[in-house]
Amino acid sequence: MYKIAVMGDRDSIYGFAALGLEPFPFTDPAEAGKKMRQLAESGYAVIYITEALAAQLGAEIERYREADLPAIILIPGVSGNTGQGILAVKKSVEQAVGSDIIFNN
């Protein structure tokens, strides 16, 4: 059975534990990158990551962009929404369908 993780700053992610997701609090991008690789190799199908942490892990996230698993989903943190999450979804949809069906640009 696949597992779901959530990574980011402590304040942004600990509420997800109530939903059954495994929280992994990080502020250091190097440590977070190592943990992301470990999670990807140990049966996690979905990794939610705060936009703030994802901004620091661009290369590591890109590594899994073409892979079937894990799906890495950007979520806003307590510091606010940067818009990177919706742009990542838009990019994935464009790649899958061949056109922009979200914003119709």
Side-chain angles (χ1 to χ4, degrees):
M1 184 162 154
Y2 291 114
K3 299 178 269 184
I4 301 173
V6 60
M7 298 174 64
D9 61 279
R10 184 176 300 276
D11 293 337
S12 296
I13 66 167
Y14 262 97
F16 289 96
L19 301 173
L21 282 66
E22 290 189 56
F24 295 95
F26 287 100
T27 53
D28 179 29
E31 290 295 318
K34 288 179 193 175
K35 186 52 136 180
M36 183 180 289
R37 283 189 295 280
Q38 289 174 348
L39 296 173
E41 295 167 4
S42 61
Y44 283 82
V46 179
I47 300 173
Y48 291 101
I49 184 169
T50 59
E51 292 173 336
L53 184 58
Q56 300 173 39
L57 296 176
E60 192 64 38
I61 292 171
E62 194 61 35
R63 169 187 218 177
Y64 298 105
R65 184 156 187 59
E66 298 292 324
D68 291 336
L69 294 176
I72 298 178
I73 312 295
L74 279 58
I75 58 173
V78 294
S79 59
N81 185 357
T82 65
Q84 291 303 309
I86 193 68
L87 290 177
V89 169
K90 178 182 180 281
K91 184 175 179 181
S92 294
V93 169
E94 282 182 26
Q95 183 177 359
V97 219
S99 67
D100 180 8
I101 62 171
I102 295 178
F103 297 109
N104 295 322
N105 290 335

